[in-house]
Amino acid sequence: MEQPNTQLTEEDVERFLSLNPRFFHGREKLLRSMRIPHVSGKAVSLLERQNALLREDIAELNQRLETLISHAHENDRLFNRLRSLVLDLMVVSSLSQLAEQLHLHLTRHFNVDEVRLLLSAPGTTHAPWIAPLPEADALEPHNDLLSQAKAVCGAFDQQLSQLLLGPDTQSQSLAMASMHYDQCYGLLVLGSIQKDYFRNSMDTLFLTYLSDVTARVLAHLSNQ
């Protein structure tokens, strides 16, 4: 049996629109995507060119808006994870618990592979994620790390990674934030096996904030 021809013709579309003059009401997105050339011979009319430029501007603005919304959603997720971490840090009662909570949250919720607290006065704790801060002469090529007001990220040489995270480290990129608590100081060091996970172009606001909170907790624990 021969199938009926269901292909629409221009006459069918014209007839439908004439019978439904309000079809485009509420369909602004469809109108914006339509291309209706303005008859002006071989040259492109000014009106048609202006419409094309306007569509390009709208498309660019929409792309910017989508990027801003995406960043806002990511910042919301990051803030909620950081909030949960800070709340858990506020109730720790020992240096070992502090290191444990940092390691737990950062590896589980922030895709960090290694976490290390390097302290100038680590005490007698045996927590696996706490170590004494390297001697000043060992850090001399990087002595500005302790004086930075904000966190530092990037792919550093393997010698520095091993100095901060131990000889068995597999981290290819690091994030480091200095901490000053009471009369002591230290470094919060995060490592990733991905070489481009921590980049020097990253926004370090959240990590700097985390190091400040950690320093306050350390000062409280040292006073106890």
Side-chain angles (χ1 to χ4, degrees):
M1 180 177 180
E2 184 179 355
Q3 295 293 330
N5 185 9
T6 57
Q7 184 175 1
L8 290 175
T9 65
E10 294 181 359
E11 289 76 13
D12 293 331
V13 175
E14 182 179 357
R15 188 182 307 110
F16 173 81
L17 292 177
S18 64
L19 295 174
N20 299 272
R22 297 180 58 84
F23 174 77
F24 288 107
H25 287 206
R27 293 181 170 87
E28 287 78 8
K29 185 176 181 180
L30 175 61
L31 282 173
R32 292 191 187 99
S33 65
M34 295 179 66
R35 299 291 185 270
I36 305 176
H38 183 70
V39 179
S40 58
K42 294 182 179 181
V44 177
S45 71
L46 177 60
L47 178 61
E48 187 176 351
R49 180 57 180 162
Q50 288 175 330
N51 285 336
L53 292 174
L54 181 60
R55 289 191 180 94
E56 292 175 4
D57 290 342
I58 292 175
E60 182 180 353
L61 289 174
N62 284 335
Q63 180 61 43
R64 290 183 181 180
L65 180 60
E66 290 177 2
T67 300
L68 288 174
I69 293 175
S70 176
H71 287 170
H73 288 163
E74 180 59 29
N75 284 337
D76 281 344
R77 289 191 292 269
L78 183 60
F79 171 78
N80 288 328
R81 294 170 185 172
L82 186 61
R83 176 179 178 272
S84 176
L85 169 55
V86 170
L87 290 176
D88 283 345
L89 293 184
M90 291 175 63
V91 296
V92 300
S93 57
S94 68
L95 192 54
S96 298
Q97 289 182 4
L98 172 63
E100 182 179 355
Q101 289 299 326
L102 284 170
H103 185 271
L104 176 67
H105 280 268
L106 291 172
T107 56
R108 179 176 296 179
H109 303 302
F110 293 86
N111 298 322
V112 174
D113 296 308
E114 295 184 89
V115 179
R116 187 70 63 91
L117 274 176
L118 300 176
L119 307 177
S120 62
T124 57
T125 180
H126 299 289
W129 306 295
I130 299 176
L133 192 69
E135 297 294 334
D137 56 346
L139 277 176
E140 184 175 358
H142 310 279
N143 54 15
D144 58 333
L145 293 177
L146 292 173
S147 60
Q148 291 284 344
K150 62 178 183 178
V152 179
C153 301
F156 297 88
D157 58 77
Q158 190 65 16
Q159 182 179 0
L160 179 62
S161 298
Q162 292 176 346
L163 179 66
L164 300 179
L165 294 174
D168 298 327
T169 181
Q170 300 297 317
S171 292
Q172 299 294 313
S173 59
L174 304 176
M176 297 164 285
S178 62
M179 299 177 298
H180 297 268
Y181 60 101
D182 205 0
Q183 301 300 316
C184 305
Y185 54 93
L187 276 176
L188 173 61
V189 183
L190 314 182
S192 173
I193 60 175
Q194 301 177 40
K195 192 171 184 178
D196 59 348
Y197 188 76
F198 293 117
R199 304 177 304 277
N200 56 16
S201 60
M202 290 181 66
D203 184 359
T204 59
L205 176 63
F206 283 103
L207 182 55
T208 301
Y209 172 71
L210 177 58
S211 69
D212 289 342
V213 171
T214 303
R216 299 301 188 278
V217 177
L218 285 167
H220 175 70
L221 293 176
S222 65
N223 289 332
Q224 287 184 332

